[in-house]
Amino acid sequence: MNAEPALQQKLLELAEVDAELNRVEHRRRSMPELAEITEAEQSVRTRKDAVVAAETSGSDLDRDIQRLERDVDGVRTRAQRDKNMLASAGVSAKQASDLQHELETLARRQGVLEDEMLEVMEQREAVQTNLDAARLELTTAEQTLADASARRDASAGDLDTTEAGRRRDREPIVAALPAELLALYEKGRSRQGIGAALLRARRCGACRLELDTQEISHIRTAPKNEVLRHEECGVIMVRTSESGL
Ligand SMILES: [Zn+2]
């Protein structure tokens, strides 16, 4: 393939723009915020689980407390009824003795229930302390995630701006190149990540391999408008005065 040396030089300009686009892409993938976000998301999930677990324990204990309150109420109502019966006229001695006996049983039962209630309320308090701490940790983790996301978005925004600029730079260069030459460039770029490179100090600018004497002598004698490709890597080698041929 042939192309004017000036057009071949344009390939180097294009390669420079594309190298910058590659760097933008690399920076996009290797933003430190991405790892921070992954870690923060994990942390938010763990803390959400802790909050849910504490909430569940809390509502279980609330139900226990309500049940104990109902039981105590039941015992009190029963005891009040027994006391009323005892106080009423016409209670036989046998009935009175039975009622007294039941009142003692009810008093013991109430004592047991109240002890249990006290214990459950202490547990409830401890769970509430855990829940408050877990919620605070969740808020902190969510804040960390939001901060990292905001920084990622800001960095991505900067990269978008840089990328848009380089894409604009690319357009007039691409427009000036013959389709066939551009296709050859893109072929190398898709395979090697570089479409064209300067031949300098006998080295291919793409793969950095040193060319042997035979290749160099071929290049020296090749017409200026011949498009040369490095056999090893397939990338277009552009000759300029810097090539040192
Ligand atoms: Zn090469």
Side-chain angles (χ1 to χ4, degrees), residues 204 206-207 230 233:
C204 164
C207 67
H230 186 205
C233 68

Short mmCIF file of all heavy atoms in Angstrom, two decimals, residues 204 206-207 230 233, ligand 1:
data_model
loop_
_atom_site.label_atom_id
_atom_site.label_comp_id
_atom_site.label_asym_id
_atom_site.label_seq_id
_atom_site.Cartn_x
_atom_site.Cartn_y
_atom_site.Cartn_z
N CYS A 204 10.95 -0.86 16.34
CA CYS A 204 9.54 -0.65 16.07
C CYS A 204 8.96 0.06 17.29
O CYS A 204 9.12 -0.42 18.42
CB CYS A 204 8.84 -1.99 15.85
SG CYS A 204 7.05 -1.90 15.97
N ALA A 206 6.03 0.27 18.25
CA ALA A 206 4.88 -0.40 18.84
C ALA A 206 5.33 -1.53 19.77
O ALA A 206 5.01 -1.53 20.95
CB ALA A 206 3.96 -0.94 17.75
N CYS A 207 6.10 -2.48 19.20
CA CYS A 207 6.47 -3.66 20.01
C CYS A 207 7.87 -3.52 20.59
O CYS A 207 8.29 -4.37 21.38
CB CYS A 207 6.36 -4.93 19.18
SG CYS A 207 7.56 -5.03 17.84
N HIS A 230 5.52 -3.58 10.40
CA HIS A 230 6.47 -4.45 11.07
C HIS A 230 5.91 -5.87 11.02
O HIS A 230 4.81 -6.13 11.46
CB HIS A 230 6.68 -4.00 12.53
CG HIS A 230 7.75 -4.77 13.22
ND1 HIS A 230 7.78 -4.91 14.58
CD2 HIS A 230 8.82 -5.44 12.72
CE1 HIS A 230 8.84 -5.66 14.90
NE2 HIS A 230 9.49 -5.97 13.79
N CYS A 233 4.75 -7.53 14.49
CA CYS A 233 3.55 -7.12 15.23
C CYS A 233 2.43 -6.63 14.32
O CYS A 233 1.30 -6.44 14.77
CB CYS A 233 3.90 -6.06 16.28
SG CYS A 233 4.40 -4.49 15.58
ZN ZN B 1 6.57 -4.09 15.98
#
